[in-house]
Amino acid sequence: MSDTRTVGIVLVSHSAEVAASVAELAKGLAGGGAGVPVAAAGGTEGGGFGTSAERVAAAAASVDRGAGVAVLTDLGSAVLTVKALLAEGDELPPDTRLVDAPFVEGAVAAVVTASTGADLAAVVAAASEAYSYRKV
């Protein structure tokens, strides 16, 4: 574990491939992520589509550097899984936040912001603000 307190990012998708690809994209667009710990938690243990509480908890533990963990999700049951883990209280690192943000744009904003050394509140705000990004 690094000595640097950095916000960790967890990307939860129903697909392992989608979660891994979005993590790779976000880190790449952030110039490699500049040391931001990003983990993908996609699919089920059997390799199928779905959301695994165990994968989410393991991913969150793997990116915890003491500055909080921002969790972004793709669809409904991913949100419910993270909410259930947060309600249990001891499954996720302290200062873990479920972020209401678009999955791809929010992930990029979160990683870019975390790479500047920003705190958890700033990372959550940046990811949430991605809803306002105009494409046309």
Side-chain angles (χ1 to χ4, degrees):
M1 184 177 290
S2 171
D3 291 336
T4 305
R5 289 174 46 92
T6 304
V7 174
I9 313 292
V10 175
L11 303 174
V12 182
S13 174
H14 285 69
S15 163
E17 292 82 6
V18 168
S21 293
V22 172
E24 181 181 351
L25 176 67
K27 289 182 78 167
L29 293 177
V36 175
V38 179
T44 63
E45 283 79 7
F49 291 114
T51 307
S52 163
E54 292 80 15
R55 286 183 177 214
V56 173
S62 77
V63 300
D64 183 19
R65 301 294 184 274
V69 175
V71 181
L72 288 86
T73 61
D74 63 356
L75 302 168
S77 66
V79 174
L80 296 175
T81 299
V82 175
K83 283 184 174 182
L85 287 168
L86 287 167
E88 289 174 20
D90 62 350
E91 297 294 319
L92 298 174
D95 295 323
T96 297
R97 300 286 182 272
L98 173 59
V99 183
D100 184 13
F103 194 59
V104 175
E105 294 91 336
V108 172
V111 174
V112 167
T113 303
S115 73
T116 69
D119 66 8
L120 181 60
V123 170
V124 169
S128 297
E129 288 170 9
Y131 273 125
S132 66
Y133 294 174
R134 305 272 315 160
K135 296 182 183 180
V136 292

